[in-house]
Amino acid sequence: MTDTTTPPRRVYLDNGGRALLHPLARTAFDQALDDGWADPRRLHAEARRAAVLLDGAREAVAAGLGARTEEIHFSPSHTASLHAAVGAVVLGRRRAGPGIVVSAVERAAVLHAAELATSSAGHAPVQRATAPAPGAIVTSATAGATDGASPPLVTVPVDRFGRVDEAAMIEAVSSPGVALAALQAANGEVGTVQPVGAVHEAARHAGVPLLVDAGAVVGHAEVPGTWDLLAADPGDWGGPAGVGVLAVRNRVRFRRTWPEDADPWFPGGVSVPAAFAAAVALQSVQADRATQDARRRAIVEKVRAVVGQIPDVEVVGDPDDRLPHVVTFSFLFVDGEALVSELDRAGFAVGSGSACTSSSLEPSHVLAAMGVLTHGNVRIALDRSTTEEDVDRFLAVLPGAVARVRASLGVSGL
């Protein structure tokens, strides 16, 4: 007799940075393939139609981010936006000094760009092989610089929730010789919201531009208006891959690190269908954000409560002041890669460690900076299509998956 039982559908819970494509984004992309395939910088009718779509996308994204239309620049990716912002501003403000101030939990793209910018200026980059002691500010001086100059790269520590030391960050950006400060709006790995407003106020007073990585926030929570440069990631809110957003206030001084081009930030143009689809998706998710916020917060609260009952687990991140759709937890005596594979076989796709560096197989620099358990780590990020039933199924499977991984490592009876 043939088994006609339909297996449970796979559940995708790794939506941070690469969410499922929003249905309206798919429709918009298909439309733009028909109407916006031409080069919008040319003069014929096909190009003008493409230019109209691109201008409309830029205007819609500007409205969603609280920016002027001319301040919006489409890039090839979120990483490209962050790299360009750090490199161009530091070069453009070289007379102010070589200093860069970052939090210890910034995205790897920001940290790497800051290290490159300071090393290119003839300074030793910060070494991040080990986490600093709680409350310690890491600079290139403490990491091995011996030239006697003021430290060009300052990494400000965070607490066990992943929130930056606000007083230390303000002190650092207020120091002389700082060209740029960078602070994420919220951490996409653990969900903790950062004190962007207070840091921006101090940075403005000191004349230092603040780069805000809002890649994990836009489309999910209120976008802060306190920034000088803001990077947003359409892939995180259900837009297509192959496009990023960098908003730059007109007052920010920068200098290109690339040859002259019609686009002052990202030479060569952008995919019009991708930009148009990203804008449509952003409008859609912002329209129902309040409803989705309440629904997903309730689900995350359930996850935190149920997971917390599993032996030897640490649920990380701020329990209250956090993103509505992200939750991360770490298990003692568990290999994170093995647990992800075990859950994958059970039909659940989850993340482990930092979404942007997980392929390196190194412990998450975010969790290390927080001083929490770095191994046996699982991160889930809920999409708008994720149902409570999906998560209930996941929670039913998780304890057994953890027990099997522990047993395979010779650890049992916990």
Side-chain angles (χ1 to χ4, degrees):
M1 183 176 179
T2 303
D3 185 2
T4 59
T5 302
T6 301
R9 73 180 182 96
R10 282 187 60 81
V11 177
Y12 190 77
L13 299 174
D14 191 20
N15 293 282
R18 184 65 72 239
L20 295 172
L21 188 64
H22 194 286
L24 293 182
R26 185 184 298 275
T27 301
F29 190 89
D30 290 341
Q31 176 190 339
L33 285 176
D34 293 332
D35 298 335
W37 56 269
D39 186 342
R41 295 172 294 184
R42 302 195 180 189
L43 301 178
H44 43 66
E46 290 81 0
R48 291 196 297 273
R49 285 199 295 271
V52 168
L53 290 179
L54 186 59
D55 290 344
R58 185 173 288 112
E59 183 177 353
V61 171
L65 299 183
R68 298 183 177 89
T69 302
E70 66 271 16
E71 294 174 334
I72 299 297
H73 308 276
F74 290 112
S75 73
S77 67
H78 189 54
T79 296
S81 295
L82 295 169
H83 285 176
V86 172
V89 172
V90 171
L91 184 61
R93 284 178 41 82
R94 64 194 184 282
R95 291 184 178 180
I100 304 176
V101 178
V102 298
S103 83
V105 293
E106 293 303 304
R107 200 178 300 257
V110 173
L111 299 178
H112 293 163
E115 291 173 358
L116 179 62
T118 52
S119 63
S120 298
H123 298 278
V126 168
Q127 303 298 313
R128 292 183 292 108
T130 58
I137 296 180
V138 179
T139 69
S140 60
T142 62
T146 58
D147 59 3
S150 59
L153 180 53
V154 176
T155 304
V156 182
V158 298
D159 61 20
R160 286 186 65 86
F161 287 154
R163 181 171 292 103
V164 74
D165 185 329
E166 181 179 322
M169 188 87 180
I170 290 174
E171 180 181 359
V173 301
S174 302
S175 301
V178 177
L180 176 69
L183 180 63
Q184 59 197 203
N187 187 269
E189 189 172 337
V190 301
T192 299
V193 174
Q194 302 289 357
V196 171
V199 172
H200 182 256
E201 182 179 357
R204 283 293 303 275
H205 183 74
V208 175
L210 178 67
L211 166 62
V212 173
D213 176 2
V217 171
V218 179
H220 305 289
E222 185 175 354
V223 181
T226 48
W227 51 268
D228 299 295
L229 303 98
L230 182 140
D233 184 6
D236 201 90
W237 69 66
V243 63
V245 176
L246 179 64
V248 184
R249 299 295 192 194
N250 293 328
R251 60 179 175 267
V252 175
R253 181 184 295 275
F254 70 97
R255 181 179 175 184
R256 296 180 179 90
T257 59
W258 48 87
E260 186 77 20
D261 188 84
D263 187 323
W265 278 94
F266 301 102
V270 67
S271 165
V272 174
F276 185 66
V280 169
L282 180 59
Q283 287 183 318
S284 178
V285 299
Q286 287 188 327
D288 71 342
R289 184 174 65 80
T291 300
Q292 287 291 338
D293 182 286
R295 186 185 74 86
R296 292 192 291 178
R297 283 188 187 277
I299 294 176
V300 166
E301 289 290 353
K302 175 186 287 190
V303 172
R304 294 179 67 93
V306 173
V307 170
Q309 298 173 12
I310 300 175
D312 294 290
V313 66
E314 184 172 15
V315 183
V316 301
D318 194 299
D320 301 311
D321 194 11
R322 56 172 173 78
L323 294 173
H325 65 300
V326 175
V327 60
T328 297
F329 37 89
S330 301
F331 295 98
L332 195 62
F333 313 120
V334 169
D335 177 78
E337 186 178 359
L339 181 56
V340 170
S341 297
E342 184 70 23
L343 290 168
D344 188 47
R345 285 191 289 270
F348 299 92
V350 300
S352 180
S354 173
C356 51
T357 58
S358 56
S359 61
S360 68
L361 301 181
E362 295 180 357
S364 160
H365 73 277
V366 171
L367 300 182
M370 293 166 60
V372 299
L373 187 63
T374 60
H375 296 285
N377 173 251
V378 170
R379 182 195 68 161
I380 67 173
L382 308 180
D383 180 66
R384 283 163 172 72
S385 63
T386 307
T387 67
E388 188 170 3
E389 180 184 3
D390 292 333
V391 175
D392 286 342
R393 285 176 47 213
F394 169 76
L395 293 174
V397 167
L398 181 62
V402 172
R404 286 190 295 274
V405 172
R406 284 174 171 166
S408 71
L409 297 175
V411 180
S412 59
L414 297 176

